[in-house]
Amino acid sequence: MFQDEGRFGLLGTPRRCWAPPGMRPVVGARLERKYLYAFSAVSPHDGVLDSLVLPWVSAQTMSLFLAEVAQRHAEEFVLMVMDQAGWHLAGDLVVPKNMRLLFLPAYSPELNPAEHLWEALREECFANHVFTDLDAVERVLTAGLQTLESHPDRTRSMTGFSWITSISLNAT
């Protein structure tokens, strides 16, 4: 499984949107900096996705997430591939017995297929929305993650890097 965290909050991000010819779209924005964090682990092979929404990132919340994934996959051994964020390398990080961590090279987010989850969520659930509070952000984020979790074929197609296989097969 590949693991990553995404930050979602009140700070709005205007995106391109459709408007009738001659009309300029009006999109609200907010400048308040309050955030929640989505912790997710995805198996690109079969599209299985496990997620938790937590209030901050730390070794403690990372340990909580790893324990949740280990519990959901209690009958399996999980190789968790992740970046080298400080809380991933912290001495007080608790790694479950049925899990081992493997770290990606530093500064290489393009190697982590879980990064594609955040692109989809931001585009489909957060683009051009203004939220009144973090509870509203949490509701939208949770619903978006549940949608991804319930559609493993779509998640697999987003994270599986299947285009590499098709290029190499077409080249021969």
Side-chain angles (χ1 to χ4, degrees), residues 63-167:
S63 296
L64 180 68
F65 175 70
L66 293 177
E68 179 67 22
V69 173
Q71 179 184 350
R72 292 182 188 183
H73 302 278
E75 301 300 318
E76 301 172 79
F77 180 81
V78 178
L79 178 62
M80 189 68 72
V81 182
M82 59 181 65
D83 59 26
Q84 296 185 42
W87 52 90
H88 297 169
L89 303 171
D92 56 344
L93 181 68
V94 179
V95 181
K97 292 183 192 264
N98 67 332
M99 185 179 292
R100 291 297 173 266
L101 306 182
L102 179 66
F103 297 102
L104 293 167
Y107 308 107
S108 57
E110 67 278 1
L111 297 179
N112 192 344
E115 294 280 348
H116 296 285
L117 300 171
W118 314 137
E119 295 169 19
L121 284 169
R122 286 189 177 100
E123 189 64 35
E124 296 169 14
C125 301
F126 287 87
N128 299 329
H129 287 280
V130 177
F131 298 98
T132 57
D133 55 25
L134 281 180
D135 290 336
V137 172
E138 184 175 10
R139 283 191 299 276
V140 170
L141 181 56
T142 302
L145 289 167
Q146 287 173 342
T147 299
L148 288 175
E149 285 183 22
S150 64
H151 293 92
D153 288 338
R154 179 168 182 252
T155 304
R156 183 178 65 233
S157 73
M158 272 194 303
T159 60
F161 296 144
S162 59
W163 59 272
I164 293 173
T165 305
S166 66
I167 290 173

Side-chain angles (χ1 to χ4, degrees), residues 26-49:
V26 176
V27 176
R30 229 183 135 138
L31 299 176
E32 193 172 358
R33 297 179 189 273
K34 290 184 180 178
Y35 302 100
L36 291 173
Y37 297 86
F39 287 68
S40 290
V42 63
S43 172
H45 172 71
D46 56 11
V48 170
L49 176 66

